[in-house]
Amino acid sequence: MEKRTTHFGYQEVPFEEKASRVADVFHSVAARYDVMNDLMSLGIHRYWKRLTIERAAVRKGHQVLDIAGGTGDLALPFAQRVGTEGRVVLADINESMLRVGREKLLDQGVGGNVEYVQANAECLPFPDNHFHCITIAFGLRNVTDKDAALRSMARVLRPGGRLLILEFSKPLHQILSRVYDEYSFKVLPRIGEWVAGDADSYRYLAESIRMHPDQETLKSMMESAGLERVDYTNLTGGIVALHRGIKL
């Protein structure tokens, strides 16, 4: 029987090894993750995330799941919006990222309406038809079986609920694509080495972006998982796209 493989950046690795390799990357970068996000995107990631929060349209009393929630950039404003009547679950497969996120939110005074869960997106440990809104920002490309993860998200989303996926995508213009490649493969690893002492992890992150499905492919994958009225918005020339789907 042929052994199943998948990609880890540009490498082909055994299917069952990818999760542990991705875990090693994020254990390495967790402590400097927020600083690196600001440096890598020149702060633009904050705009992308604000738009995601606005499009999520959560209200007081809502149940929200933020998958691959990392250091809490979405969970924090969600917690403020759902209020004490609601609940936000910050879920991440990586213990180091989850710990950094928990400490950050506690430092911001966020407490009783946020729950922290170490979870794999492919098999979410939540009941069917439960959340009003699910978000995953810059995490789907690191998931081994993306189709399984999308089905799992659709399962725990309640009818009428929204799934929003914020992720790097394919630039719309050839010149922008060339400039972006130069930055990603030459500048980004050097910044990673300088700030986080880890060039290899940021080289992997650049490669993982190139291996992620493009805008239309991800839209089709969401539809196949059972989501409807799927659309997407290209941001910063398609370097990032925000996909949104509804469970009817």
Side-chain angles (χ1 to χ4, degrees):
M1 182 177 177
E2 187 176 351
K3 198 168 187 179
R4 193 178 182 192
T5 63
T6 187
H7 57 82
F8 174 75
Y10 288 161
Q11 300 178 52
E12 283 290 319
V13 300
F15 198 79
E16 64 275 9
E17 285 186 14
K18 179 171 178 177
S20 64
R21 291 192 179 215
V22 171
D24 289 342
V25 169
F26 284 92
H27 285 313
S28 174
V29 305
R32 306 294 289 170
Y33 188 76
D34 284 343
V35 172
M36 283 298 297
N37 275 350
D38 282 331
L39 288 173
M40 289 188 301
S41 71
L42 304 177
I44 300 172
H45 75 100
R46 297 177 182 274
Y47 160 72
W48 298 332
K49 290 170 181 172
R50 277 200 306 272
L51 181 63
T52 303
I53 292 159
E54 292 302 322
R55 294 277 178 88
V58 302
R59 302 191 299 275
K60 286 193 181 299
H62 274 188
Q63 304 286 316
V64 179
L65 172 61
D66 183 27
I67 301 171
T71 57
D73 281 353
L74 297 184
L76 175 59
F78 280 147
Q80 295 166 340
R81 292 187 179 214
V82 303
T84 56
E85 306 93 341
R87 180 180 67 132
V88 175
V89 177
L90 195 168
D92 203 295
I93 196 172
N94 188 277
E95 180 186 3
S96 298
M97 293 292 289
L98 200 61
R99 182 172 60 251
V100 171
R102 184 174 184 275
E103 291 172 356
K104 178 179 173 181
L105 265 63
L106 289 174
D107 287 344
Q108 294 285 332
V110 175
N113 66 346
V114 179
E115 181 181 350
Y116 304 89
V117 176
Q118 188 171 358
N120 186 335
E122 297 171 24
C123 47
L124 292 166
F126 307 109
D128 296 356
N129 306 316
H130 186 68
F131 293 99
H132 295 88
C133 180
I134 299 174
T135 55
I136 178 167
F138 305 114
L140 185 61
R141 72 181 188 280
N142 296 309
V143 173
T144 304
D145 190 335
K146 297 175 180 60
D147 289 310
L150 291 169
R151 290 193 300 269
S152 185
M153 294 176 210
R155 177 185 64 79
V156 302
L157 197 62
R158 66 173 61 192
R162 295 169 299 284
L163 169 63
L164 291 95
I165 301 173
L166 180 67
E167 187 56 89
F168 291 106
S169 201
K170 306 301 178 187
L172 302 177
H173 307 291
Q174 191 172 16
I175 293 175
L176 176 61
S177 184
R178 287 202 299 267
V179 171
Y180 184 45
D181 281 347
E182 286 289 310
Y183 173 77
S184 298
F185 291 104
K186 293 184 178 178
V187 178
L188 183 56
R190 292 179 183 176
I191 297 174
E193 178 64 34
W194 172 51
V195 176
D198 186 352
D200 288 343
S201 290
Y202 286 93
R203 191 170 293 109
Y204 157 73
L205 293 176
E207 292 175 0
S208 71
I209 291 167
R210 300 318 185 279
M211 300 301 292
H212 186 67
D214 65 17
Q215 290 91 324
E216 284 293 325
T217 303
L218 180 54
K219 178 183 177 183
S220 296
M221 291 168 66
M222 292 173 69
E223 291 169 341
S224 295
L227 295 158
E228 301 189 37
R229 290 159 52 185
V230 179
D231 60 17
Y232 61 86
T233 302
N234 286 307
L235 305 173
T236 317
I239 287 175
V240 165
L242 175 60
H243 284 71
R244 179 174 56 179
I246 310 293
K247 180 176 179 178
L248 297 181

